[in-house]
Amino acid sequence: MSHSNTGHLHWDHRDGRVAAVVAAVVYSMWALEVVFPVGLGSDTGALADPDSTFGRMLDSAHRTAAILVVLAAGLGLALGAERPRRWLTISWWSMVVFGVTSLISSLLPGRCVLSTDAACAVESVVEGMGGVSVLQPPLAVVATLAALVASAALTRDRHVAGERSWIVLALITAAQAVAAVVVLVLAAGVYLSSGDGSPGVALGMAERLHLVTVALWLLAVGLVPGHWKRRGDRVRAPERLS
């Protein structure tokens, strides 16, 4: 957000790009677990414990990231390409859905540190853990699919526009698709086994992989320039009459 020479604040595309990049950084914060004494493959890692200091920090951070995603998508819709193609519009709205569902899920009670962890959400419900909302699994699934659709639609838009960035976006989308399938299959397995799955499913390697691909997608949203270009890219409050 910038300050104009008339004393009014205005939004421009840079705010949306920064919001997307910061959200990408936040979704990568799970990597800080390497500074804890437990390893990545541990079933009792800090990330699986919502009552740990690190777990509470991640929960708050991901709630903030969800808000930043909604902000970035909203500014993308308002300050994106001058004549956005259908695919770009689909990408922005899917990004909104991802942010909103992630935010709502993060506000619901439960033991899952990450609101997008579908496997943990399903396990919590089928095992009948107290205070867990039945809305969490569908919200986690919707968030996972919305992120994938947003990435795929952005890739398609950049391809139609003839931008070389579509190749990188396609690789990110492919990786996200693989990660999403693995996470959802894991969640389905937990459901079918009535929750008798492996311990530590709250954040296993599959969920870590999915977070990496989500972070890469958000990073691309912030750094790839084509879908942000627009003439008259400022939203400014009306000037006061002298």
Side-chain angles (χ1 to χ4, degrees):
M1 182 181 290
S2 304
H3 196 281
S4 68
N5 56 8
T6 60
H8 294 283
L9 296 176
H10 68 264
W11 294 96
D12 64 30
H13 66 91
R14 291 170 295 184
D15 300 306
R17 298 177 73 168
V18 169
V21 171
V22 173
V25 173
V26 174
Y27 276 111
S28 303
M29 290 181 66
W30 64 267
L32 293 176
E33 69 179 344
V34 298
V35 306
F36 286 78
V38 293
L40 288 176
S42 173
D43 292 335
T44 58
L47 286 177
D49 182 7
D51 295 321
S52 68
T53 301
F54 189 39
R56 290 192 296 269
M57 183 271 288
L58 265 188
D59 182 54
S60 298
H62 278 255
R63 189 174 298 118
T64 301
I67 295 173
L68 289 173
V69 167
V70 175
L71 174 62
L75 290 175
L77 286 166
L79 304 174
E82 184 177 6
R83 293 182 178 86
R85 284 174 289 272
R86 177 183 59 181
W87 289 108
L88 182 55
T89 301
I90 292 174
S91 180
W92 288 130
W93 279 111
S94 297
M95 189 172 171
V96 170
V97 172
F98 170 76
V100 170
T101 52
S102 297
L103 178 59
I104 294 174
S105 183
S106 71
L107 296 174
L108 296 175
R111 71 178 182 88
C112 301
V113 174
L114 303 182
S115 60
T116 56
D117 190 349
C120 174
V122 170
E123 184 184 47
S124 298
V125 170
V126 297
E127 290 186 353
M129 295 184 178
V132 177
S133 172
V134 295
L135 292 176
Q136 286 181 322
L139 285 174
V141 171
V142 169
T144 299
L145 295 178
L148 180 58
V149 171
S151 183
L154 180 59
T155 300
R156 176 58 177 167
D157 176 77
R158 293 297 85 206
H159 181 262
V160 172
E163 298 284 349
R164 291 183 178 181
S165 59
W166 80 268
I167 299 175
V168 175
L169 288 166
L171 293 175
I172 293 174
T173 301
Q176 188 178 155
V178 171
V181 168
V182 172
V183 169
L184 294 178
V185 168
L186 176 60
V190 171
Y191 177 77
L192 294 175
S193 63
S194 300
D196 299 326
S198 61
V201 74
L203 189 64
M205 292 305 298
E207 185 60 32
R208 291 183 178 94
L209 174 60
H210 184 253
L211 287 175
V212 169
T213 61
V214 167
L216 289 174
W217 157 58
L218 292 172
L219 193 63
V221 169
L223 298 181
V224 174
H227 52 286
W228 288 105
K229 293 178 181 177
R230 182 181 182 134
R231 293 194 299 272
D233 59 355
R234 295 182 177 182
V235 175
R236 182 181 301 174
E239 296 184 3
R240 290 191 295 266
L241 296 177
S242 58

